[in-house]
Amino acid sequence: MTARPPAPAGTRVPDTALAGGVGGVAGGLRTLTAIALDALADGAAERGGPLPAGGPQAVAERTRALCTPMLPRRGTGAADALYDTVRAAAQGAADPADPHCVAHLHCPPLALAAAADLAASALNPSMDSWDQAPAAAVIEEEVSAALARLVYPAAPRPDALITSGGTESNLVALLLARERARAAGTGPVRVLCGRAAHHSVQRAAWLLGLPAPAAVECRDGRMLPAALDRALAGLGGAPALVVATAGTTDEGAVDPLPELARVAASHGAELHVDAAYGGPLLFSDRLAPMLAGIEQAVSVTFDLHKFGWQPVAAGVLALADAGRATALSLRADYLNADDDTEAGLPDLLGRSLRTSRRPDVLKIAATLRGLGRDGLGRLVEHCVDTARELGRTIDADAHLRRRPGEIGISTVLFRPAAADRLAERQGEAAGDALVAEVRRRLLADGLAVLGRARAADPDAGGRRRLWLKATLLHPRTTAGELAGLLKLVTELARDRPVTTPA
Amino acid sequence: MTARPPAPAGTRVPDTALAGGVGGVAGGLRTLTAIALDALADGAAERGGPLPAGGPQAVAERTRALCTPMLPRRGTGAADALYDTVRAAAQGAADPADPHCVAHLHCPPLALAAAADLAASALNPSMDSWDQAPAAAVIEEEVSAALARLVYPAAPRPDALITSGGTESNLVALLLARERARAAGTGPVRVLCGRAAHHSVQRAAWLLGLPAPAAVECRDGRMLPAALDRALAGLGGAPALVVATAGTTDEGAVDPLPELARVAASHGAELHVDAAYGGPLLFSDRLAPMLAGIEQAVSVTFDLHKFGWQPVAAGVLALADAGRATALSLRADYLNADDDTEAGLPDLLGRSLRTSRRPDVLKIAATLRGLGRDGLGRLVEHCVDTARELGRTIDADAHLRRRPGEIGISTVLFRPAAADRLAERQGEAAGDALVAEVRRRLLADGLAVLGRARAADPDAGGRRRLWLKATLLHPRTTAGELAGLLKLVTELARDRPVTTPA
């Protein structure tokens, strides 16, 4: 292990220097930030590729060598601990800024967003009362208004809450529906979602003590309006929330929103759209029509740490009407006493399920204003276009087979032709095992981070098979870089012996 | 408004530069971070004091002038948007690094922690699968183990989950109790907590669909064991979770944990301790005895963004036994397929209610290792000692009166003697209104951020009165700085006409 390069003379910083205050930057934050940047650069160079080579055990050993003991009796000093921890994190990162890291809805953050996020850490505003976040509260209000208007351009009084991500947004959406039904005295709300909906819908119902969501039949990963119609008819008029998805995790499929909205309305049911993935298509004039009908939802989940290029967390829950959020209202004398509110101190407490809350809006604000709607739209378009280009490249490659049908947003499913041949000779399990094994070998060798998804194969009578998944969220990837990724897959599928798990 | 200083020559960065990758630091992150640091320093200098002067309206106008329109069609460019947003946030911050900002459990972060947090933003590991966070997952495992061992030194298999704060920790604690009762088939769990417990206990029960918590009588802000005994006896053997508090929000009071543990055990009830505030007393050998008995709890809420000097979020839920967390287990094929887990890929999904999750452990790790247990213990001791010193100063000041009795952890309640005189002449409401008005004037003038708390006054027959609250979390404040704060209060209480709200 190499040690931290010696700090330049005159830069000795006390271990307990504070980040804030008038003297915070000069008194330590600038020097320590420079050390963190050095560690990021050194760690990334040591890693080299999209993820560390050697697999979980090797990564654990290297990380422990740099970072433990974790809580010694006597500390190592700020500079060394900082350099070692950040270097270990960078050395052992799966880095979505590498074009071969395309497994998940896990985006490479913009340098702009990461730099702005430093202000959240240094100033530490907490979004639960005005006297902890005077300016940050205004910035959040402006960001919320802009995003609410993006989703609901014609609503008289839209709003948007900032959340920790799609899971929390879906939770709050279900909670608000639960409370609405409770207030109306119409019995517990029933939740319905497509079989391809994100697991957080099921989990939210469980958390909230609601009946398990009814799973509505899908075709090609998209909810069938006729199936929804039947499911709603079977509820006998109970209050219902239909959760549609705009961009499924496995396939990037967008549910037929206008049809689902019409069916829901015909039964007096409400519609929520989980657009954690697809929501930012709205930034692009060319792509926004893919989400036609979304404005008919009472609430929309919308993440900016997928498309949006923010570090986690940057979740949003847009509401067609601000009044829907009143169920979150809360009075806590130390944070929003009545006489303080009457005297003009803004009440921030009813905007989240959390109490102390990091101002994730600072980075979002810098990004929205710096890139503008067109700038963000161009980045979304790049990803969507690149996915289509990747699809064409796969279609032209005899060693690979793309899952037939449309590409969902920017998600491409494919598998080695060798897996198909193996399935034919030794059965489906053997073909699927090759797909899984190729993915794991790429991970273990530090060569690529590809995802996996089980989805119907129209070329095999609609059987559900395992596919490799490339989720393109990199706003600058080139076709050449992706061709290199495909070559790795082809070579591995040809060379590796398959070990079927027991 | 002054504009951003021109960037040094040769530092032009593309607006869409990415933070990560081998070239991320040199390709833009270093330059943009320098701009953010300049903006932090410029904004703090423009603010000067603990918070911006002028009150909510003035702050909103200045902030909007710098940051809006928030989502223009065409962006302003990365550098300008970054500088303006961060400068606005700093200019309009309530900065806990200023010794006169002592309202809330809102700490000034260490420069070390803020610098380490930049790595979380730049690398963007997401803690829901190994292939998004290979090294960060190992660091989280080590941090969890160290903190679990701190709380439960003798338990055979303790664990700790990383959360977004005390609110989420309490939510998960109640959820795990709910699921345990459900699995045992013993009917819904009943929650009991002191009247002074944090509002998040009530909110968690509401969210989870549990009966509202029973409020147990307190004296001096501490739960009475005899009252708990009666309350538990009244449940007729229903499964129960007692939520004790180690450091109440209003008074810093620590419930009598050993007695409460004994009473709970005698009824077969479980104990959870909300030590969001007090937990880090365990870092100090001298102060740890204040939490004697905490190891008898099945779970402990423990925040490091209060004592711990981390930027929000840095929440922890320590568990006496790792098995208790199995109710959070979750299978999602794209994140932790069975064959991947069997092949050795670690399964991270069952460690949080969130899915995508920022690695808040990186900053915690750098801090634990850099300062060590003794270093952190000394900072906690400084705050506790300073609170006692502040108490003595108030006791010696004829213009102020401290709430009689022991100081809770590092929270000092006091009010101007003028408020007592006013209460005597014009009634309690007038005295309380003066206290509230002094706090709001200090806020509006940008002079100090003091908290408020309603608590019994033994000198007034136990009547509940409004107090000013100083929560000392600043690890370097001096007695002289705090004397200056008291002088501000005295002067305002003397000079300001009181306006009682309608």
Side-chain angles (χ1 to χ4, degrees):
Chain A
M1 285 291 164
T2 58
R4 176 174 68 86
T11 55
R12 178 99 188 91
V13 172
D15 290 339
T16 58
L18 298 177
V22 173
V25 170
L29 185 61
R30 197 182 291 277
T31 302
L32 291 174
T33 301
I35 291 175
L37 289 167
D38 288 345
L40 280 171
D42 293 352
E46 287 162 347
R47 186 189 70 235
L51 86 164
Q57 200 54 46
V59 171
E61 279 163 22
R62 284 198 300 267
T63 306
R64 290 202 181 98
L66 280 169
C67 293
T68 58
M70 189 53 83
L71 181 58
R73 178 54 80 170
R74 204 190 141 91
T76 64
D80 281 342
L82 175 64
Y83 181 79
D84 291 343
T85 307
V86 174
R87 179 180 161 206
Q91 219 180 54
D95 189 344
D98 187 294
H100 289 182
C101 184
V102 293
H104 296 285
L105 288 163
H106 174 216
C107 78
L110 294 167
L112 161 60
D117 211 12
L118 177 62
S121 305
L123 296 168
N124 200 27
S126 180
M127 305 305 289
D128 48 329
S129 67
W130 184 85
D131 61 2
Q132 295 177 92
V138 178
I139 294 172
E140 180 163 297
E141 195 184 323
E142 292 291 335
V143 166
S144 292
L147 294 173
R149 187 57 62 207
L150 181 71
V151 177
Y152 294 110
R157 206 170 63 117
D159 197 359
L161 306 175
I162 306 299
T163 71
S164 60
T167 295
E168 185 182 327
S169 292
N170 286 340
L171 172 65
V172 174
L174 265 64
L175 171 67
L176 298 181
R178 184 189 81 175
E179 293 305 299
R180 190 166 178 277
R182 180 175 292 179
T186 46
V189 69
R190 297 298 309 266
V191 178
L192 303 95
C193 62
R195 285 188 192 284
H198 192 253
H199 65 77
S200 57
V201 178
Q202 172 86 36
R203 200 164 166 85
W206 166 69
L207 201 70
L208 295 168
L210 292 172
V216 178
E217 198 188 331
C218 290
R219 186 170 303 152
D220 298 329
R222 304 167 80 224
M223 209 194 305
L224 286 169
L228 176 66
D229 192 39
R230 285 192 300 274
L232 284 169
L235 292 183
L241 182 75
V242 175
V243 178
T245 307
T248 58
T249 309
D250 279 349
E251 308 179 40
V254 179
D255 279 338
L257 302 180
E259 292 83 346
L260 296 178
R262 195 162 47 237
V263 171
S266 75
H267 291 274
E270 292 190 324
L271 177 68
H272 166 73
V273 178
D274 178 353
Y277 177 8
L281 293 166
L282 293 173
F283 289 126
S284 155
D285 289 339
R286 196 186 95 205
L287 299 173
M290 289 173 71
L291 300 189
I294 199 167
E295 71 291 344
Q296 297 182 58
V298 293
S299 50
V300 172
T301 291
F302 188 110
D303 274 2
L304 289 161
H305 56 238
K306 295 181 167 79
F307 284 141
W309 301 280
Q310 302 298 300
V312 172
V316 177
L317 178 70
L319 300 172
D321 183 76
R324 194 169 178 90
T326 50
L328 297 179
S329 292
L330 188 65
R331 189 66 47 191
D333 203 64
Y334 75 106
L335 294 171
N336 62 355
D338 284 335
D339 61 305
D340 279 350
T341 306
E342 280 161 27
L345 288 182
D347 171 11
L348 314 182
L349 197 54
R351 299 192 64 78
S352 179
L353 291 176
R354 289 172 281 167
T355 312
S356 295
R357 185 158 63 86
R358 179 181 178 87
D360 290 316
V361 282
L362 299 186
K363 64 194 177 196
I364 300 175
T367 304
L368 295 182
R369 190 160 154 82
L371 271 61
R373 184 167 171 172
D374 285 347
L376 283 161
R378 277 193 298 274
L379 299 190
V380 179
E381 289 165 11
H382 175 89
C383 295
V384 170
D385 294 345
T386 310
R388 274 151 189 67
E389 192 169 347
L390 176 66
R392 287 190 294 272
T393 311
I394 295 171
D395 289 343
D397 185 334
H399 301 293
L400 300 169
R401 185 170 62 87
R402 187 170 70 78
R403 179 169 175 262
E406 264 187 52
I407 286 173
I409 304 185
S410 68
T411 299
V412 182
L413 302 185
F414 63 103
R415 51 190 247 161
D420 291 353
R421 291 192 298 271
L422 203 60
E424 211 162 297
R425 287 200 311 273
Q426 299 181 24
E428 286 300 326
D432 288 354
L434 175 63
V435 172
E437 173 76 8
V438 163
R439 187 184 99 87
R440 285 195 295 267
R441 289 307 327 171
L442 289 168
L443 288 177
D445 295 347
L447 294 174
V449 191
L450 272 166
R452 56 184 281 162
R454 200 167 281 283
D457 185 351
D459 285 358
R463 273 202 302 280
R464 288 177 71 76
R465 292 179 134 177
L466 196 61
W467 305 87
L468 294 171
K469 177 173 79 166
T471 311
L472 298 183
L473 295 186
H474 194 302
R476 298 156 74 107
T477 314
T478 64
E481 288 161 342
L482 292 172
L485 175 65
L486 298 179
K487 197 155 164 256
L488 287 171
V489 171
T490 302
E491 281 167 8
L492 262 182
R494 192 171 49 211
D495 298 344
R496 291 279 166 183
V498 181
T499 50
T500 313
Chain B
M1 288 290 164
T2 59
R4 177 174 67 88
T11 56
R12 178 98 189 93
V13 171
D15 290 339
T16 58
L18 298 177
V22 173
V25 170
L29 185 61
R30 196 182 293 277
T31 302
L32 292 174
T33 301
I35 291 175
L37 289 166
D38 288 346
L40 280 171
D42 293 351
E46 286 162 347
R47 186 188 70 236
L51 85 164
Q57 202 51 46
V59 172
E61 279 163 22
R62 284 198 298 268
T63 305
R64 288 202 183 100
L66 280 168
C67 294
T68 57
M70 189 54 84
L71 181 57
R73 176 56 76 171
R74 203 189 142 93
T76 64
D80 282 341
L82 174 64
Y83 181 81
D84 291 343
T85 307
V86 174
R87 180 180 159 207
Q91 219 180 54
D95 188 344
D98 187 293
H100 289 184
C101 184
V102 293
H104 295 286
L105 288 162
H106 174 215
C107 77
L110 295 167
L112 162 59
D117 212 11
L118 177 62
S121 306
L123 295 168
N124 199 27
S126 181
M127 306 304 290
D128 48 329
S129 67
W130 183 85
D131 60 3
Q132 295 177 91
V138 177
I139 294 173
E140 178 162 298
E141 196 184 322
E142 292 290 335
V143 165
S144 292
L147 293 173
R149 187 56 66 206
L150 181 72
V151 177
Y152 294 110
R157 205 170 63 116
D159 197 359
L161 306 175
I162 305 300
T163 72
S164 60
T167 295
E168 185 183 325
S169 291
N170 286 340
L171 172 66
V172 174
L174 265 65
L175 172 67
L176 297 182
R178 184 189 82 175
E179 292 305 299
R180 192 167 175 276
R182 181 174 290 178
T186 48
V189 69
R190 296 299 309 265
V191 178
L192 304 95
C193 62
R195 284 188 194 282
H198 192 253
H199 65 77
S200 57
V201 178
Q202 172 86 35
R203 200 163 165 85
W206 167 69
L207 200 70
L208 296 168
L210 292 172
V216 179
E217 198 188 330
C218 291
R219 187 170 303 152
D220 298 329
R222 304 166 79 223
M223 210 196 304
L224 286 169
L228 176 64
D229 193 40
R230 284 191 299 275
L232 284 169
L235 291 183
L241 182 74
V242 176
V243 178
T245 307
T248 57
T249 309
D250 279 349
E251 307 179 41
V254 179
D255 281 336
L257 303 180
E259 292 83 347
L260 297 178
R262 197 161 49 238
V263 170
S266 75
H267 290 274
E270 291 191 324
L271 177 69
H272 167 71
V273 178
D274 178 353
Y277 179 7
L281 293 167
L282 294 173
F283 289 126
S284 155
D285 289 340
R286 196 185 95 205
L287 299 172
M290 291 173 71
L291 299 189
I294 200 169
E295 71 290 345
Q296 296 182 59
V298 293
S299 51
V300 172
T301 289
F302 188 110
D303 272 3
L304 289 160
H305 57 237
K306 298 181 166 80
F307 285 143
W309 300 281
Q310 301 299 300
V312 172
V316 176
L317 178 70
L319 300 172
D321 183 76
R324 194 170 177 90
T326 50
L328 297 178
S329 291
L330 188 67
R331 190 64 52 187
D333 203 64
Y334 74 105
L335 294 171
N336 63 355
D338 284 335
D339 60 306
D340 278 350
T341 306
E342 281 161 25
L345 288 183
D347 170 12
L348 314 182
L349 196 54
R351 299 192 64 79
S352 178
L353 291 177
R354 289 171 281 167
T355 312
S356 295
R357 185 159 62 85
R358 179 180 176 88
D360 289 316
V361 283
L362 299 186
K363 65 194 176 197
I364 299 175
T367 304
L368 295 182
R369 191 163 153 81
L371 271 62
R373 185 167 169 172
D374 286 347
L376 283 161
R378 277 193 298 274
L379 299 189
V380 179
E381 289 165 11
H382 174 88
C383 296
V384 170
D385 294 346
T386 310
R388 274 149 190 68
E389 192 170 347
L390 176 65
R392 286 190 295 274
T393 310
I394 295 172
D395 289 342
D397 185 334
H399 300 293
L400 300 169
R401 187 170 62 87
R402 186 169 70 78
R403 180 169 174 261
E406 264 186 53
I407 286 173
I409 304 184
S410 68
T411 299
V412 182
L413 301 187
F414 65 102
R415 50 191 248 159
D420 291 353
R421 292 193 297 271
L422 203 60
E424 213 164 295
R425 285 201 311 274
Q426 300 180 23
E428 287 299 327
D432 288 354
L434 176 62
V435 172
E437 173 75 9
V438 164
R439 187 184 99 87
R440 285 194 295 263
R441 288 307 329 170
L442 290 168
L443 288 178
D445 295 346
L447 295 174
V449 191
L450 272 165
R452 57 184 281 164
R454 202 165 280 283
D457 185 349
D459 284 357
R463 272 202 304 279
R464 288 176 71 75
R465 292 179 133 176
L466 196 61
W467 305 86
L468 294 171
K469 177 173 79 166
T471 311
L472 299 182
L473 295 186
H474 194 301
R476 297 155 77 107
T477 313
T478 65
E481 288 162 344
L482 292 171
L485 176 65
L486 298 179
K487 198 155 163 257
L488 287 171
V489 171
T490 302
E491 282 169 8
L492 262 183
R494 194 173 46 213
D495 298 345
R496 289 281 165 183
V498 179
T499 50
T500 312

